[in-house]
Amino acid sequence: MAQTTTFTAAAPPDDAPVRKPRSQLVVQGAIWGFVVLELIFFSVAGRFLSNSDTAFLDLDNMLLLLKQSAPIGIIALGMTIVMINGNIDLSVGATFALSAIVLLDSMTWPFMQALGDWAIPLAWIFALATGTALGFVNGLVVWKTGVDAFIVTLGSMLGYRGLVFMYNGEQPTSHLNWTLVDFAEAQFLGLHTATWFLLGTALVLWLVMTRTVHGRNAYAIGNNREAAVNAGIRVGPHFLLNFMLIGFLAALSAVVFYSESGSVNPNDGMLYELWAITAVVLGGTKLAGGYGSIISTLGGVVAIQLLRKGLGYIGADTETVNLVIGLILIAVLFLDRQLNRKGSEELKT
Amino acid sequence: MTDATPVLRLEGIVKTFPGVRALDGVDLELRPGEVHALMGENGAGKSTLMKVLGGILQPNEGRILIDEAPVVMTSPLEAKGKGVVFIHQELSLADELSVAENIFLGELPRKRFGRVDWTRLYATTDAILKTLNVRFDARTRVGDLSIANQQMVEIARALTVSPRAVIFDEPTASLTDAEKVVLFDVIEDLKAKGVGIIYISHRMEEIFRITDRISVLRDGQYRGTLRTAETTEDEVTQLMIGRSLDLSRSPVRHALGKVALEVRGLSCGHLYRDVSFSVREGEVLGFYGLVGAGRTEIAETLFGLRTPSAGSIRVNGDEVRIGSPVDAIRHGIGLVPEDRKGQGLVLGMNCRDNMTLPQVDDLSTGPFVSDGAEVAIFDQYRDRLDIRTPGWRQIVGNLSGGNQQKIVIGKWLSMRPQVLIVDEPTRGIDVGSKSEIHNLIRDLAAQGYAVIVISSEMPEVLHVSDRIAAMYSGRIMRTFAAEEVTEDSLIQAISGLEPEKVA
Ligand SMILES: Nc1ncnc2c1ncn2[C@@H]1O[C@H](COP(=O)(O)OP(=O)(O)OP(=O)(O)O)[C@@H](O)[C@H]1O
Ligand SMILES: [Mg+2]
């Protein structure tokens, strides 16, 4: 065999590590690199601009940041698999609110009150079932009608929000259960309950997407639906499962958040879908489907939360924060395009 | 044409991709007014070399000279400006736009305030189309054109500048014989105008019909240039794959088993009517006919992608209803589709995942995929089909066209279906692998599979089939046994010249 690395059939043993195309590596790792940059930037900038006396990188501050990124983070993780699958779900914010109402309101029902603290797991189940059922409706409609998920969930976003208002009008729905609050505020190994839920969800979904048949098929469907159908993959059930998953996760997010806060306004969760999509896209998942990674979405979630907190820390107001996040999103996508183009042959005349 | 100064010269071109040295110091010289064939196995680097030449890829090393002056081309538009145009292996047209818009995409003639000058656009386009002798006009929507005509649009695009060199990358892969003749006329015209032409194809008969010289690449290295008039197919093959092929060997015919698939009176709207045939275990049934005769549609019906309007399908004697590919697979039917990129492959996934796609579920333990079993299957079929890839992790979209096709074939072979339907199995496949795939089809039959081969290449159907169904305009005109078939009778049958015979 020749010395050169010239490519011949027999040359490389099969599991010789094949480097991923560089652009892909850059893009997948990029979001975490960006997170590190943000950390450096805000710690340095904070020295000069912040009037708080704790450092930005203060441990408690960081733990809190993780906790606060959990509600949208959990939804964004679900959004990742829906988007890899080639769909999108705009109704997650409304699902979040409706599940929250079910969570809090169910604990005030007479038979539930009679159960004492046993009402808590039951209320959770009710809330999670609500979210899953709403996701089921989305998935079934997308599957059976063949209408684009964007349209279907745009409709259900409005519809589910309508249900939220029908429940209690403009009034907030409240119920504070101290056992629940204690649970939500607990810290295990330093991390808050919400953070554990976020990390747990990420781990499970990462396994689902990389290790299971469902995950493999979801990628295939998102990448080339026709080829997937030709391989005997039933597209509909995978859609349905993913919509149920994201519905479940929107409810889980509500469970995590409202266990502590104890009060839902009918407008809660609005724009969550957009924040979730922003995090997913920042993490490098393609809107068109077929590509994406759970771990990168986690990076996207942390990156956004860091920006919000960091900008606040150096004294920017909310409007500025949104403007900056918007600009960064566009810049990142532009960069991603540039990197992906280089060395790939997709470029056409 | 003798030793005029070359229009184009490549010197020591090197191009690497992660894990692959696709081009390893390639030289090439193109003279004005010559048709220069570029040949080599799948993955030899032909398309990559042409992409370098067309400004799509940048070489790591080496020089490109136009009229003996070194140039650097960083985009296809720049290459076009220098007179080098590239007609791609895969068509890249915007379906929804008109022919004229496609041809001048990015360079639409303008009036003041940036308004498009439609009159001029259509007039110029029609003038170009006229030189090509085509039957459509500038306003036609590209999506309404046949593949052959779309190819003409690509060619017309090349003619908007007066080109010095035109590159054709496997232009005839999906053309009928009649359409090929038109293409060859266009090439003759260009040649007469002193344009240098680089022509990539795996089809020997074309190469010997229209080219003046042949350059051969092997594993990314330049292997030499031959004069077409002074060489033989065998010599070219030798240079390409390092051995000669014994194509004369006629396949062994062996005993057939029971009827595996039987189709009676199958119709599907106006696509095909009243089609009846059967395939036995151990038998290869060829479907020959012109593009559009309804062969692919029959295959799609058998695979559950179309619903027949009448007729019955029996598998192993039992009547079955095949409503989806899932049903088809359950009944042991596999389909290697005609359009590998659109229907066969998930381009963004790696080689192994593509190959095991229909069976991840069967290989899994519980909900989890089983990597080891999948790699084993991939290895087995990579060796068997000689698939050139640095490893299973390579993304399928990065493989050469022929190797992509082998992945699709491997995918279905590894499913061990009872009935395997292959639609144009060797489109875009090099001579070596082609005979490999033909042998494979014969081997499968020998092992008791029933195989249906759809092909537009007569030598291919004649070579692999035990029986041949000749189709014309949605009907099976006649079914021949391999022993009795002649080229003439086959051509007659597929042109509809022979009265239908009732079996
Ligand atoms: N973008 C890419 N990334 C990685 N490898 C690539 C890329 N493009 C091409 N290759 C590799 O370079 C080699 C040459 O490919 P190329 O497409 O030039 O072959 P070809 O001679 O045109 O083959 P075919 O006859 O099958 O079209 C192949 O091994 C292919 O896998
Ligand atoms: Mg090629």
Side-chain angles (χ1 to χ4, degrees), chain A residues 14 211 213 216 224 230 345, chain B residues 51 345 369 371 379 382:
Chain A
D14 208 56
R211 308 293 325 147
V213 176
R216 178 81 65 79
N224 184 349
N230 279 332
E345 45 187 80
Chain B
K51 283 174 186 157
L345 291 168
V369 293
D371 277 320
D379 279 353
R382 183 205 52 192

Side-chain angles (χ1 to χ4, degrees), chain A residues 234-309:
Chain A
R234 293 176 202 267
V235 171
H238 288 290
F239 282 177
L240 183 63
L241 184 55
N242 282 335
F243 275 108
M244 287 169 69
L245 257 170
I246 194 174
F248 175 87
L249 290 172
L252 185 69
S253 167
V255 162
V256 168
F257 187 74
Y258 290 101
S259 291
E260 183 168 4
S261 98
S263 176
V264 202
N265 276 307
N267 279 323
D268 281 5
M270 273 200 185
L271 293 188
Y272 271 30
E273 56 286 339
L274 296 187
W275 285 114
I277 293 168
T278 307
V280 173
V281 171
L282 262 182
T285 297
K286 298 258 182 300
L287 268 173
Y291 297 89
S293 110
I294 291 289
I295 304 300
S296 300
T297 294
L298 200 58
V301 169
V302 174
I304 289 185
Q305 195 60 28
L306 265 173
L307 267 180
R308 283 177 154 182
K309 250 197 125 81

Side-chain angles (χ1 to χ4, degrees), chain B residues 176-475:
Chain B
T176 63
D177 287 335
E179 292 163 345
K180 269 184 223 168
V181 173
V182 179
L183 176 73
F184 294 162
D185 284 348
V186 171
I187 290 179
E188 277 302 320
D189 277 356
L190 287 172
K191 189 175 157 173
K193 287 186 198 142
V195 177
I197 290 163
I198 297 182
Y199 189 88
I200 301 180
S201 173
H202 291 294
R203 299 190 175 162
M204 286 287 188
E205 73 281 2
E206 288 170 9
I207 299 286
F208 279 84
R209 184 159 147 199
I210 67 161
T211 68
D212 302 302
R213 292 196 297 162
I214 303 172
S215 288
V216 176
L217 292 185
R218 184 162 161 212
D219 292 337
Q221 288 170 331
Y222 172 71
R223 279 306 158 102
T225 302
L226 305 163
R227 284 176 177 284
T228 313
E230 293 161 10
T231 186
T232 58
E233 288 193 14
D234 196 46
E235 197 178 359
V236 178
T237 312
Q238 281 272 4
L239 214 51
M240 268 171 65
I241 63 177
R243 63 190 156 93
S244 10
L245 287 173
D246 182 12
L247 291 171
S248 58
R249 182 175 69 101
S250 77
V252 219
R253 313 276 168 198
H254 43 81
L256 305 181
K258 64 178 185 336
V259 174
L261 177 78
E262 186 174 9
V263 170
R264 281 227 196 100
L266 203 66
S267 301
C268 185
H270 61 280
L271 295 170
Y272 58 84
R273 271 170 308 146
D274 197 19
V275 165
S276 302
F277 62 89
S278 62
V279 211
R280 287 170 178 280
E281 288 178 345
E283 185 180 41
V284 179
L285 174 65
F287 270 87
Y288 184 61
L290 297 174
V291 175
R295 300 163 305 164
T296 296
E297 289 75 10
I298 293 178
E300 286 170 349
T301 310
L302 293 176
F303 195 60
L305 293 167
R306 287 178 191 277
T307 315
S309 46
S312 67
I313 302 171
R314 281 164 189 278
V315 174
N316 291 329
D318 301 325
E319 182 154 349
V320 295
R321 205 193 68 85
I322 301 174
S324 70
V326 183
D327 293 343
I329 292 167
R330 202 178 53 235
H331 291 300
I333 299 174
L335 171 67
V336 176
E338 181 179 32
D339 165 17
R340 58 174 170 257
K341 289 211 166 167
Q343 306 168 323
L345 291 168
V346 181
L347 287 178
M349 281 198 348
N350 67 38
C351 295
R352 180 201 67 183
D353 293 0
N354 262 285
M355 196 179 275
T356 54
L357 196 60
Q359 50 180 331
V360 255
D361 219 350
D362 306 331
L363 295 173
S364 64
T365 32
F368 296 104
V369 293
S370 127
D371 277 320
E374 291 187 31
V375 172
I377 288 184
F378 174 79
D379 279 353
Q380 187 186 344
Y381 287 88
R382 183 205 52 192
D383 293 349
R384 193 153 161 203
L385 300 175
D386 188 20
I387 298 171
R388 309 286 176 93
T389 157
W392 64 260
R393 289 183 184 80
Q394 180 68 281
I395 300 297
V396 161
N398 291 338
L399 295 190
S400 77
N403 283 306
Q404 291 182 347
Q405 177 72 339
K406 291 182 187 177
I407 297 270
V408 187
I409 294 183
K411 170 163 90 177
W412 289 108
L413 286 189
S414 66
M415 290 291 288
R416 324 199 117 254
Q418 190 188 11
V419 180
L420 182 66
I421 308 170
V422 284
D423 197 354
E424 302 288 358
T426 60
R427 176 175 291 170
I429 293 220
D430 69 57
V431 281
S433 319
K434 194 168 180 168
S435 77
E436 189 61 36
I437 287 176
H438 290 166
N439 290 342
L440 209 106
I441 289 175
R442 292 306 313 172
D443 285 353
L444 286 173
Q447 288 163 29
Y449 294 97
V451 187
I452 296 177
V453 176
I454 298 174
S455 175
S456 307
E457 279 186 64
M458 187 172 321
E460 177 161 282
V461 231
L462 288 174
H463 185 66
V464 301
S465 315
D466 294 303
R467 281 188 304 132
I468 300 169
M471 285 199 69
Y472 167 73
S473 171
R475 281 168 178 277

